[in-house]
Amino acid sequence: MPISDYGVLAASAVDRRREGGTDTPHYQIHLRDEQGTDYRAAVNVLSQQAPPDLRYFASEDFRHPVTALLPKAGSGWTALPSRPGTASLDFVRGHLFDPAAMRVLPPDGPGPDDLGDQLDAHVRRAIGDSSAAVYVFGQRFGPEPGVPDKVFGFLPGNGVHDVHMNQGNSGRFKADDGVYQDGALLIHFPAENRWAAVFLAFQSQSWHTDDRTGHAGSASVPHQPGAPRPTTHPTH
């Protein structure tokens, strides 16, 4: 069955933390909405299935009709229906970016070209701009009354995870498959009238998925001939 409680968090980024290790490290983002509610976005930087390194694509100038469907900046969590014509994301059917432009990046490394550094560059920019509006798509967790957040310590624990492609899975993760429920990170910089976007996928995921279940094995393709493509300018 699809993931539960899919939606988008609209908030401001106030802090971040990088995690190392080879277990299940994440890039952690502390966000706060206009009502003062705190959230944590847990972004995968390593897969539990081989190959472990993630696929990554980012645009510094993301242009797509979905941005006009998003909730108000800073409005907190909004549940989304998993269907076309809404703000829900689908990497295969939504024509958000060209999957061929994705690169495989290690979670960490001695140089600047790793996934942690790439995420850090976008999030630090959002933290440094008080007007920046952050939108995190994925599955909600919490709130957990009486339980502090395990990373940033705010109370109650509350946030969003599965900030990556959520279809075409294999093994035990196949149960999470669905259409129009993919995770991503979008950032609006009003002063520049510009959107930035970050998309992640596991190498073990298939891009040929069933239009109803999101399971691997259908003839669906990321971009069908003649279908419109978004205007994006990738950044490395």
Side-chain angles (χ1 to χ4, degrees), residues 163-211:
V163 188
H164 49 66
M165 186 174 178
N166 289 305
Q167 58 182 303
N169 289 295
S170 60
R172 63 189 177 94
F173 296 104
K174 185 177 180 180
D176 294 335
D177 284 346
V179 297
Y180 289 94
Q181 59 161 28
D182 288 327
L185 178 68
L186 271 58
I187 307 172
H188 186 222
F189 297 96
E192 305 171 41
N193 191 28
R194 179 174 64 86
W195 287 85
V198 175
F199 303 100
L200 300 169
F202 300 119
Q203 292 189 69
S204 57
Q205 290 173 314
S206 173
W207 289 85
H208 300 274
T209 61
D210 183 82
D211 289 331

Side-chain angles (χ1 to χ4, degrees), residues 6-13 29 31-34 39 41 43 62 66-78 80 87 89 119 122-123 126 131-138 160 162-164 182-190 194-199:
Y6 173 71
V8 60
L9 171 64
S12 298
I29 311 171
L31 303 108
R32 185 173 296 133
D33 68 19
E34 62 184 4
Y39 304 82
V43 184
F62 178 70
V66 73
T67 58
L69 302 176
L70 295 174
K72 179 178 176 292
S75 57
W77 179 258
T78 297
L80 295 174
L89 305 184
L119 290 169
H122 286 89
V123 175
S131 68
V134 179
Y135 292 85
V136 187
F137 293 79
V160 56
D162 289 334
V163 188
H164 49 66
D182 288 327
L185 178 68
L186 271 58
I187 307 172
H188 186 222
F189 297 96
R194 179 174 64 86
W195 287 85
V198 175
F199 303 100

Side-chain angles (χ1 to χ4, degrees), residues 19 36 45 49 61 87 96 98 119 127 147 173 187-188 204 228 230 232:
E19 294 178 339
V45 294
Q49 290 184 310
D61 188 13
L96 297 160
D98 185 354
L119 290 169
I127 293 173
V147 180
F173 296 104
I187 307 172
H188 186 222
S204 57
T232 58

Side-chain angles (χ1 to χ4, degrees), residues 77-103:
W77 179 258
T78 297
L80 295 174
S82 294
R83 62 173 182 262
T86 69
S88 299
L89 305 184
D90 191 303
F91 290 5
V92 175
R93 298 157 191 84
H95 311 297
L96 297 160
F97 62 97
D98 185 354
M102 299 192 95
R103 298 186 297 146

